[in-house]
Structure formats: C-alpha cells, structure tokens
Amino acid sequence: MPSLSLDTPIAQRVALPAAMLLPLLLSACGGGNAVLVTESANPAAACAALSTNAQLSNTNLSTSYVPPGTRRPGGAATGDFLPGHCVVTGAINPRVGVDGKNYAIGFQLSLPDRWNGRFLFIGGGGNDGILRDTSLSSSISGGTPSPLGQGFAVVSTDAGHTGTSASFGADPQARTDHAYNSYDKTAVASKSLISTRYGRKPDYSYFSGCSGGGRQGMMFSQRFPDYFDGITAGAPAMRVSSGATVAAMWNTIQFNAIAPQDASGNRILSKAFSNSDLKLVANAVNATCDAADGVVDGLAQNVNACKAFDPAVLQCTGGKTDSCLSSAQVGALKSVFAGPRNSAGKALYTGQPWDAGLAAPGWRSWTLGNSTTATPDARYITLMVDALVNEFFTPPDLSFNPLAFNFDTDPARMAAYSAVYDTYADDKLAAYKQRGGKLLFIHGMSDPIFSAFDTVDYYERLAANNGGVAATQSFARTFLVPGMNHCSGGPATDNFDSIQTMVDWVEKGIAPQSIAAKALPTNADFPNRTRPLCPYPQFAKYKGSGSVEDASSFVCSAS
C-alpha cells in the first residue's frame, strides 16, 4: 500500500484506492491546534467491512451506514443534519447468567466519515441497561452541539445488561460489569474499532457523564487512569451504593412520616409538602442568601452564605396556612437537609445545600413525587429502592421494606458492593494526575439525590492531598451550578458546553477560569439569562452595574 503524508499532492491522494484512508490537516478546533481529519473514499463500504475486519474476540458486531443529510441528532425534526457516519452495535462476551437470563456488554459506537481524531465516551445513568443515542451530547453538557456532528467518534454502553430494572443484581458477573468491567471492555473495543476504521488511534480521548455517568468517569480516573485525557464528572454518584442511597431512605422516611393519610390510613408521600410550601421555602432561602453575591436576582450564587439558613423562620405560630409551615414540616426539612445519622449520631452521608431549586419539579420528582395516592412515584422509591434491594445489598433482598431501613445495621449490608462500585475513597488520583489527565466536576446546588456537598467534600480532600486548591486546579476543577437540580433543570443557568471546555483545557492548555452558561428561552424563571460558572471556591459576583440577566455584569470572586 502506498504511503500517505500531509505533503502528498492532492491529485495523488484522490488516485489512491477506495479503501485507502485520506488524512487531511485542518484547523478545525481553532486556536493554534490543528486536528487531523480522516476520511474514506467509500465510507459505506468501510462501515460494512468493520464486521469482518474488526480485531475483537468473543464479540458480535452489526453495522449500519447513515448517509449524510438523512438524520438529525436524536432524530429531531428540525435543525442541522448529521454528517455521514457508521453506527456499530456490539455485544461483548454474550453469555447466560446464573439467573438464566441472557447477558452481554452492549455498546453503540458512531464513527463519522470525516473524523477529527477525538474519541468521546458518553456515560449512562440510573440502572443503565440502555444504549444512549451517540448522536447526542452527554447529559451534563446540553449546550454542546452534537459531538458526532462535530467529527467525534462517540460510544455508549448498556453496562452489561438490558432493561432499566436492577434485577440483573441476581447475577454476580452482571454486578461486576455494572461496577467497572463493561466500561473497560467498551473503551478498549471502541479504540480498536477506531484504529481499524481510520488506521490510527484517537489523538485525544474524552469521557463525559452525569449521575451514574459521573461515577463511571471517576471509576475510569481510578481503575483505568490512562484511558482518557479528559473526564467530566457531573453530579458524580461517588457514594451511591452506600451514602446517597442511605440518604434517600432517610429522606423518604422523614417525609413519609409527616404526609397526610388517605381514608385507609396510608400516607400520601407527595402531599408532605405542596408546591406552594416548597416555593415558600425557596423564597425564604433567597431572602437569606441571595444578596450575598452582590445583587438580589433570584440566584444565590455565594453558596457558603446559605449554610446558616434555618427553616424555623417559616414555622406557623398558630394553625397551618399557605404562608407558613407546620412544626412537623420544619422538623422534616431540618432532618433531611442535615443528612442521615445512625443512633449514635454518626453522619452516614453529607447533608443537602439550601438552595431555591428545591421548589422546582426536578427536586420534587426525586423526593416526593406527584402521585395523588398512597402508591408513591418518587424516584427515591422507583429507582433507588430497586437498586438497593437488587444490587447494593449483598446478598440481594427483594422483600426489603425501605420504610423499615435500619440506619445502625443496614449500611453494613451495602459495604461489600460499595467497595467495588463507589469511587469516593481514592482522593489522591495520583496515576491520573501523573499521566496529565484533566478532571471537571459539575454539580447542581439543588441536586436532591447526590449532594453537591459530597462533591465539595471530595474535592477538598483531593486538594489536601495534592498541595492545596491552587495546585489541584492544574488538573481538577469543580463548578457548582446554583439552582440546578439533578444534572439539569431548576431556576438555573443549566445550559453550557462542558465538552468544548474540556477540549480547550486538554488540547490548548486553557484551564477554565469560568464556563459560559445560560438559561434556555423555555426556562420559566430566567429565560435567556447568562452567567459565568466559577471554579470552586469562587462564585459569580455582581460587579455593581449592568443587567442582572447578562454574564458580563458578573465576575468570579472568592469573597
């Protein structure tokens, strides 16, 4: 096969055989960094050939070619069309589990005709079990135009099982696959397929995910530190199979205990607080904390100023009305936001930040739900209990009653799986730092399942082991998003391009001094508002003049 270089004359390049890869040097990523864009003269044939040319063992592959101009990201009806690309669907290590069910590590890899040399692994979430659409962006970077559309090779995995139920926990290998093995195998297979398709390895490899995807990113930084140049871990579920799930049970018990009863005496969880009750609390939080960032604008950006908030200021002095909370409601809020404890008073998870996003639908959907009957639909019940009884308990305990959770003894039943699944313990990241990897934490202040305080706690421990915050910011930074619920939503500027932020950091050495964020026009609270997200411990502070809707009126400040 003839050799090909960037100096090869154009006429000579076009004369090469159809299977020959044509690398073209383009300044696609801006700045001083050119990217090597790789094309094929017959991309549909190259796609079809992957099924037979792939160097993968014990893996079933199928391919389909999507011609340019025929599909939009996510199958949308409007917007820019995707470029031509090959979709590879794979199943690694197909087998029958001890429960008699079929298992395999499924993945979907999209390979664009014109590849920019970048590989992006988008994380999952929940109990996984689905292949996320690789034409879309990661769940913590909704402001990123389709990475596939930009020329990234993009992969997702179902984490080793099919279906969003945690019932796979009956199979020991499926538990291991969900903890770490499926991500390892998917990353290795993807890079092999990329080399087969384009004739070279990725120039840069990135991971981006939120929630369970954030945990997966942290898992990579610890177990497989040489796989990725940049990892974005949104709302990282670092203590999901121990602390956060314990907190979900604690919160459910506190809220359920004060909920009104139906005619049969059963509690209706969703009615523990009305929407107007939660709005009352949100307004009181802002009345206490909002001005601490220099302006009253509905966003309490100086997050440390809210630690002193006490919901007792809202307690009714007489009977319950729409303008106050009952003593039971105040007590439940204090218990929930302080975090779970055992009978000896030992904290089992961090508390929750006080933030006005608690009045948003995303907060309610996790904590209280919307069911008007005694059958709750809060995600603490529908998702977290499912994971607890099937996967996080060792052995599984399908008959467990979450309202009977014992905070003295039940956490010990979660310890064995936490040791292989959770990612909070390694607070040094020595190998990842040494290889030059970059790490972004992004967390909403009103996340009702994974507390932003837990991310802050981890980051402060990481900084203590790496020479302090200033030194640690050379490879890891944390960005808190006031008002944001779990991964998105809430009275927040929750739309931002964290993937481009990471690309600039890794490839150009531009460490993020801030991340440009906005609220979408559909945001009911602050349509079209823009803000800088600031690296912790800084926050967006009003300069003293200018529109409060405009990011240019704010500066990142530590005081």
Side-chain angles (χ1 to χ4, degrees):
M1 181 178 288
S3 63
L4 180 67
S5 74
L6 298 174
D7 299 321
T8 306
I10 292 292
Q12 194 174 334
R13 295 181 194 171
V14 223
L16 290 170
M20 186 65 184
L21 301 176
L22 305 179
L24 304 175
L25 188 62
L26 301 175
S27 298
C29 67
N33 285 38
V35 288
L36 196 62
V37 176
T38 303
E39 298 183 279
S40 171
N42 191 338
C47 179
L50 278 174
S51 294
T52 53
N53 293 342
Q55 304 296 309
L56 299 174
S57 62
N58 200 22
T59 301
N60 300 324
L61 295 176
S62 64
T63 62
S64 62
Y65 181 70
V66 181
T70 60
R71 185 174 186 266
R72 296 181 176 91
T78 59
D80 294 337
F81 282 100
L82 290 164
H85 61 280
C86 177
V87 179
V88 183
T89 304
I92 304 170
N93 299 337
R95 62 186 179 83
V96 177
V98 299
D99 53 1
K101 297 179 181 178
N102 292 320
Y103 289 96
I105 297 170
F107 68 89
Q108 180 186 98
L109 173 65
S110 287
L111 302 166
D113 297 348
R114 301 187 72 247
W115 180 49
N116 63 14
R118 300 184 181 109
F119 168 52
L120 174 65
F121 194 135
I122 55 175
N127 292 322
D128 293 293
I130 60 172
L131 295 177
R132 294 182 181 258
D133 189 337
T134 47
S135 70
L136 297 174
S137 187
S138 131
S139 55
I140 193 62
S141 198
T144 302
S146 168
L148 175 62
Q150 297 182 56
F152 287 74
V154 185
V155 75
S156 70
T157 179
D158 62 12
H161 60 272
T162 301
T164 57
S165 164
S167 59
F168 66 87
D171 182 75
Q173 182 59 49
R175 290 157 68 95
T176 300
D177 286 344
H178 194 222
Y180 61 87
N181 186 57
S182 63
Y183 313 106
D184 170 28
K185 295 297 188 288
T186 296
V188 171
S190 298
K191 291 188 178 186
S192 175
L193 286 164
I194 286 170
S195 293
T196 300
R197 170 64 179 84
Y198 301 116
R200 63 189 178 96
K201 298 178 181 179
D203 300 317
Y204 300 99
S205 295
Y206 299 96
F207 182 95
S208 182
C210 191
S211 189
R215 182 201 69 85
Q216 294 153 21
M218 291 305 296
M219 180 278 303
F220 273 119
S221 74
Q222 296 166 9
R223 288 184 181 268
F224 310 103
D226 59 337
Y227 280 21
F228 294 98
D229 302 292
I231 293 172
T232 300
M238 290 188 284
R239 297 174 63 191
V240 59
S241 68
S242 53
T245 303
V246 173
M249 300 305 101
W250 173 271
N251 298 352
T252 299
I253 291 170
Q254 309 304 314
F255 288 145
N256 192 73
I258 67 163
Q261 297 171 303
D262 64 13
S264 300
N266 299 309
R267 303 282 183 181
I268 304 174
L269 177 63
S270 69
K271 294 186 177 181
F273 289 86
S274 67
N275 287 338
S276 60
D277 287 335
L278 295 179
K279 187 63 177 175
L280 193 67
V281 180
N283 289 341
V285 168
N286 275 340
T288 302
C289 315
D290 190 358
D293 56 24
V295 66
V296 175
D297 60 354
L299 275 178
Q301 294 169 131
N302 184 352
V303 299
N304 287 326
C306 275
K307 290 182 178 179
F309 176 75
D310 186 346
V313 299
L314 296 171
Q315 187 165 321
C316 302
T317 55
K320 172 74 171 77
T321 70
D322 289 341
S323 60
C324 62
L325 300 180
S326 70
S327 60
Q329 288 177 314
V330 169
L333 286 175
K334 285 186 174 183
S335 293
V336 164
F337 279 77
R341 295 180 180 274
N342 62 19
S343 62
K346 177 184 177 183
L348 303 176
Y349 188 63
T350 57
Q352 297 283 343
W354 291 107
D355 181 272
L358 63 83
W363 194 88
R364 170 176 283 279
S365 70
W366 279 92
T367 57
L368 301 168
N370 295 284
S371 172
T372 57
T373 73
T375 302
D377 62 355
R379 299 201 77 196
Y380 282 169
I381 301 294
T382 60
L383 177 62
M384 302 311 297
V385 171
D386 182 26
L388 173 66
V389 302
N390 281 286
E391 185 181 16
F392 298 163
F393 275 158
T394 303
D397 182 357
L398 275 60
S399 63
F400 184 74
N401 176 10
L403 294 179
F405 192 95
N406 186 311
F407 296 93
D408 289 333
T409 59
D410 283 331
R413 303 167 65 189
M414 307 161 76
Y417 195 58
S418 174
V420 297
Y421 194 79
D422 286 342
T423 58
Y424 68 91
D426 181 355
D427 52 14
K428 297 181 176 62
L429 302 185
Y432 188 67
K433 176 185 178 182
Q434 184 176 16
R435 65 95 64 204
K438 308 300 183 188
L439 178 62
L440 281 179
F441 293 108
I442 303 176
H443 210 135
M445 290 302 294
S446 269
D447 188 321
I449 180 61
F450 304 118
S451 173
F453 282 163
D454 195 48
T455 294
V456 168
D457 172 75
Y458 178 86
Y459 189 71
E460 289 179 341
R461 287 188 284 124
L462 184 68
N465 289 321
N466 284 279
V469 170
T472 303
Q473 286 188 340
S474 66
F475 81 98
R477 297 190 175 210
T478 293
F479 291 82
L480 302 175
V481 189
M484 190 170 84
N485 294 153
H486 185 55
C487 298
S488 64
T493 51
D494 62 341
N495 191 264
F496 41 82
D497 189 346
S498 61
I499 289 177
Q500 187 60 48
T501 297
M502 181 60 81
V503 167
D504 289 343
W505 195 5
V506 167
E507 299 180 24
K508 303 177 187 177
I510 303 174
Q513 304 303 316
S514 65
I515 298 176
K518 64 181 179 181
L520 294 176
T522 53
N523 187 295
D525 298 279
F526 317 117
N528 299 311
R529 173 175 285 186
T530 59
R531 281 290 183 277
L533 302 180
C534 300
Y536 178 83
Q538 294 184 322
F539 62 91
K541 185 175 183 179
Y542 186 57
K543 292 180 178 178
S545 62
S547 169
V548 297
E549 304 304 321
D550 195 336
S552 64
S553 302
F554 293 80
V555 62
C556 289
S557 171
S559 61

